[in-house]
Amino acid sequence: KAGVTQTPRYLIKTRGQQVTLSCSPISGHRSVSWYQQTPGQGLQFLFEYFSETQRNKGNFPGRFSGRQFSNSRSEMNVSTLELGDSALYLCASSLGTSGSNQETQYFGPGTRLLVL
Amino acid sequence: AQSVTQLGSHVSVSEGALVLLRCNYSSSVPPYLFWYVQYPNQGLQLLLKYTSAATLVKGINGFEAEFKKSETSFHLTKPSAHMSDAAEYFCAVSDPGGYQKVTFGTGTKLQVIP
């Protein structure tokens, strides 16, 4: 069974540009969560999608958005990039059974974004 | 609001020695607690989780953790460190009522000395 895949693995952008990151969950998983990891702020929850709906959201500005497709694949978009957006962006998938927070999240290897 | 505090950003142990990584949580409701491991240039892997069943939780790779409500702690232990255990470890907490919204600690880098 294939794991969570994220593309691209590395990305370099300049300030003001926008970027789209992609996450393909484990087959059968319907929940996809996104996290930002930086040396200064650590791991921070961005948002979670389940069945194409955003179910939960962290404390990030509106420049950070996401969506989920009918096949559970998810994309994350960051507009008007700032230097501080340089980070490792991790995606995690789980079954997403409604009402359950006990499920194990499986993480992808991440996309490392560098903003110059 | 829920949070976790990991004591010690860096811990060094000798190969074969006890590994003890400390985590204290703060939560207004009985929490779910997790330990994750991250190897360089990789994503996170779940080591173990506490979801209000047994207070002593056994995970992968010989790790275990004990939920102590009186101490609000969830420390991670392994009896004998192996070189392959060198990695960064994250404690995390989630609200049982929240869908997959997990709050992570700042991480502890474990160094294993041969």
Side-chain angles (χ1 to χ4, degrees):
Chain A
K1 199 171 187 181
V4 178
T5 58
Q6 293 187 245
T7 57
R9 291 293 311 277
Y10 302 92
L11 206 48
I12 300 175
K13 292 286 188 179
T14 56
R15 279 182 299 174
Q17 287 187 310
Q18 75 166 15
V19 67
T20 299
L21 312 181
S22 179
C23 173
S24 293
I26 291 172
S27 177
H29 286 190
R30 296 167 64 190
S31 170
V32 173
S33 298
W34 288 90
Y35 296 85
Q36 181 196 64
Q37 185 177 25
T38 61
Q41 299 298 319
L43 274 158
Q44 293 183 286
F45 173 79
L46 279 156
F47 29 64
E48 186 241 352
Y49 285 87
F50 176 78
S51 291
E52 302 179 64
T53 300
Q54 187 181 87
R55 194 163 62 171
N56 221 331
K57 190 177 189 302
N59 298 321
F60 277 82
R63 299 186 298 107
F64 292 82
S65 63
R67 60 177 175 169
Q68 187 179 35
F69 302 94
S70 58
N71 62 358
S72 294
R73 188 177 71 85
S74 177
E75 288 183 347
M76 191 193 93
N77 184 274
V78 187
S79 62
T80 319
L81 283 166
E82 300 177 359
L83 296 180
D85 297 333
S86 294
L88 179 67
Y89 290 90
L90 292 165
C91 158
S93 79
S94 67
L95 289 170
T97 304
S98 181
S100 170
N101 204 22
Q102 299 186 31
E103 296 169 4
T104 298
Q105 287 188 316
Y106 295 88
F107 282 79
T111 294
R112 189 165 295 280
L113 171 65
L114 176 62
V115 182
L116 301 175
Chain B
Q2 56 202 9
S3 64
V4 287
T5 302
Q6 292 185 241
L7 301 176
S9 58
H10 290 80
V11 170
S12 293
V13 299
S14 298
E15 190 174 17
L18 171 72
V19 175
L20 171 60
L21 304 182
R22 299 176 187 274
C23 172
N24 288 90
Y25 70 90
S26 173
S27 178
S28 57
V29 298
Y32 290 165
L33 293 159
F34 310 82
W35 274 101
Y36 287 88
V37 62
Q38 185 176 33
Y39 297 100
N41 299 316
Q42 293 188 28
L44 277 73
Q45 181 182 15
L46 180 70
L47 280 175
L48 48 81
K49 60 183 178 183
Y50 166 77
T51 56
S52 73
T55 56
L56 181 62
V57 182
K58 293 187 185 297
I60 62 172
N61 301 339
F63 285 94
E64 63 180 39
E66 186 172 6
F67 173 73
K68 292 187 176 180
K69 185 178 178 181
S70 61
E71 299 177 8
T72 62
S73 68
F74 191 59
H75 302 331
L76 181 71
T77 61
K78 182 175 180 178
S80 177
H82 191 271
M83 295 299 294
S84 61
D85 294 328
E88 189 160 19
Y89 293 79
F90 293 90
C91 181
V93 62
S94 72
D95 181 344
Y99 293 103
Q100 306 294 346
K101 184 173 182 179
V102 180
T103 302
F104 286 88
T106 51
T108 297
K109 286 187 178 174
L110 176 66
Q111 180 187 22
V112 181
I113 303 167

